[in-house]
Amino acid sequence: MSITPLMPVYPRCDVRPVRGDNCHLIDENGTRYLDFASGIAVNLLGHSHPALIGAIQRQAETLMHVSNLYGSPQGEALAQKLVDNTFADTVFFSNSGAEAVETAIKTARAYHQNHEDGDKNRHDIITFTNAFHGRTMATISASNQAKMHQGFLPLLEGFQYCEFDDLEAAEKLIGPTTAGFLVEPIQGEGGIRPASQEFMSGLRALADQHGLMLILDEVQCGVARTGKLYAHELYGIEPDIMASAKGIGGGFPLGACLATEKAARGMTFGTHGSTYGGNPLAMAAGMAVMETVANDEFLASVREKGERIRSRLEQFIGNYPDLFDFVRGSGLMLGLRMKVESRPFFVHLRDNHQLLTVAAGDQTIRILPPLVIGDAEIDEFFDKLSAGAASYDIPEN
Ligand SMILES: *Cc1c(COP(=O)(O)O)cnc(C)c1O
């Protein structure tokens, strides 16, 4: 037998963490890593936040799971918290980002198809190049990235790909079968690429004009990551439907599909479900995260730290004009665009300087620290990054 017990779909690196300590990870050998990856924008509160640990411990002792056959005081409380703090009127809880996006797609289609005033022909969702929406059949079908399709054909029908940030092209694709748009306001896997203001306002206007659903995938950029609770607030627009996950459970698996009352009009009894979705344990984790991050003081601190890191990064990259191109992103969702392949540099930082970041598309290094970092972690980050850049030999190829 040569296959590993863990299905070998991930090329895992040699770092094998066994413990977390605030913004650091400690591996099997006791080596400490500075974690500016946060489990890919998940561990908003770091690895040992007392509010999150306490909430999960207390809930585990009280009640973990009952199914959605019963009333859910815990789910109602977290849904109300999200409704109070966002554009949304209603929330469906899932266990992951891909499921939240799936729910969003179903909600948009049902808006048109499962209502007497709807148009049953509207099923196509316009999506954008280099998007990432998850790994289920619908969410890979929603992305134009061939590498995710390879081996899994046929794709699901009903998605049309459009150039990201090209409003004119998006408008041209609208037809009698269009149901809506699905877009990341700031592309994550694609390389921390923010949509322009014109594009986001333009999609909102097109959706209004044509009666379409504007679905935002805020799985990576949402939940205080950008210094706003959700990234669309940076643009001054509101979606009809939005997928949230990653940071929302702070490390506990949790996703959510948020919608306005109007957008959710097709999601009636029996149309959708999930066995685990919104179970009391997940709700306790989500509530601990929301109670910590959904306030002006916390959000302002994310913006302040983000601006501080960004301006230091901009100064720093001036020392290495052959290596770095520019910095982009918002809050603590920052991308360092390189002039060379980013992956080997990300590996160098990890293996030789114990600094964890995340490689992304478009020659970009993702800088996604826990939102609770302090001055000491910021200084340590720059020490490691400077040492990493100074010791880096650009690989030939
Ligand atoms: C990570 C991600 C997803 C998928 O989330 P999973 O929890 O891995 O299913 C979807 N959309 C975006 C923008 C993401 O970054």
Side-chain angles (χ1 to χ4, degrees):
M1 200 93 70
S2 65
I3 195 164
T4 48
L6 268 180
M7 194 181 279
V9 293
Y10 289 108
R12 291 170 190 273
C13 71
D14 293 335
V15 179
R16 297 165 63 83
V18 290
R19 198 159 64 78
D21 176 17
N22 193 20
C23 301
H24 290 83
L25 288 175
I26 297 105
D27 77 4
E28 287 175 324
N29 310 317
T31 307
R32 281 177 81 86
Y33 293 83
L34 179 65
D35 186 7
F36 269 42
S38 306
I40 318 186
V42 169
N43 305 93
L44 301 190
L45 307 182
H47 296 282
S48 37
H49 196 280
L52 182 58
I53 295 171
I56 292 173
Q57 277 177 342
R58 279 191 303 278
Q59 191 62 49
E61 282 166 5
T62 313
L63 183 66
M64 266 195 243
H65 176 84
V66 293
S67 91
N68 289 305
L69 296 173
Y70 309 106
S72 176
Q74 308 85 2
E76 285 166 7
L78 183 57
Q80 186 66 54
K81 183 93 180 158
L82 286 163
V83 165
D84 289 344
N85 283 279
T86 67
F87 74 96
D89 302 312
T90 191
V91 183
F92 180 89
F93 291 112
S94 61
N95 316 291
S96 67
E99 285 172 282
V101 177
E102 289 263 350
T103 308
I105 293 166
K106 287 179 75 174
T107 303
R109 284 187 171 176
Y111 168 81
H112 297 288
Q113 296 177 32
N114 194 25
H115 190 273
E116 57 194 32
D117 298 333
D119 175 349
K120 301 216 168 4
N121 297 315
R122 294 198 176 274
H123 52 255
D124 288 328
I125 311 280
I126 296 171
T127 67
F128 297 91
T129 48
N130 296 311
F132 181 81
H133 298 300
R135 296 293 201 146
T136 60
M137 281 309 307
T139 55
I140 64 172
S141 301
S143 169
N144 79 319
Q145 296 192 55
K147 62 174 197 244
M148 292 198 294
H149 301 160
Q150 177 69 33
F152 300 115
L153 304 179
L155 299 181
L156 299 186
E157 291 175 43
F159 297 97
Q160 286 182 294
Y161 310 137
C162 177
E163 188 64 30
F164 181 64
D165 220 31
D166 186 341
L167 189 61
E168 239 173 83
E171 183 166 17
K172 283 202 190 107
L173 282 175
I174 298 172
T177 59
T178 307
F181 301 107
L182 167 60
V183 65
E184 295 161 86
I186 304 175
Q187 288 191 335
E189 310 293 315
I192 314 291
R193 278 193 287 196
S196 64
Q197 178 67 53
E198 302 71 55
F199 184 66
M200 293 303 289
S201 313
L203 287 184
R204 179 66 273 172
L206 285 174
D208 290 340
Q209 197 181 326
H210 296 271
L212 309 177
M213 294 284 100
L214 178 60
I215 310 168
L216 297 184
D217 182 346
E218 292 224 22
V219 170
Q220 191 158 156
C221 60
V223 200
R225 177 57 55 192
T226 63
K228 295 284 184 185
L229 188 58
Y230 283 97
H232 62 264
E233 297 166 38
L234 295 166
Y235 295 90
I237 60 136
E238 290 186 342
D240 301 294
I241 305 168
M242 179 179 76
S244 183
K246 290 206 163 90
I248 197 171
F252 195 91
L254 174 61
C257 175
L258 288 73
T260 64
E261 179 169 18
K262 181 181 174 197
R265 68 183 187 181
M267 299 301 277
T268 51
F269 289 148
T271 53
H272 194 48
S274 165
T275 298
Y276 285 139
N279 90 5
L281 199 51
M283 297 298 92
M287 187 57 99
V289 169
M290 281 295 290
E291 279 177 346
T292 308
V293 308
N295 61 75
D296 292 340
E297 199 185 331
F298 189 90
L299 293 167
S301 81
V302 173
R303 290 195 293 275
E304 186 274 318
K305 287 183 273 196
E307 276 153 30
R308 204 138 44 93
I309 294 179
R310 194 193 177 106
S311 64
R312 274 177 80 171
L313 272 175
E314 269 158 4
Q315 275 189 353
F316 160 78
I317 65 175
N319 303 331
Y320 297 94
D322 297 337
L323 210 48
F324 303 112
D325 205 351
F326 53 81
V327 184
R328 62 187 165 197
S330 284
L332 292 172
M333 183 178 191
L334 294 170
L336 183 51
R337 171 64 141 62
M338 299 192 67
K339 289 190 176 157
V340 296
E341 281 309 312
S342 64
R343 191 162 289 276
F345 184 64
F346 140 84
V347 169
H348 171 70
L349 291 177
R350 180 190 73 207
D351 292 349
N352 301 323
H353 297 278
Q354 290 72 51
L355 171 59
L356 305 178
T357 58
V358 197
D362 195 37
Q363 301 188 171
T364 302
I365 299 271
R366 273 181 280 179
I367 298 162
L368 300 168
L371 306 183
V372 296
I373 47 167
D375 293 346
E377 286 83 21
I378 296 176
D379 287 342
E380 186 182 348
F381 169 72
F382 279 100
D383 288 348
K384 288 181 183 302
L385 183 67
S386 306
S391 63
Y392 191 58
D393 295 318
I394 299 171
E396 314 252 340
N397 67 346

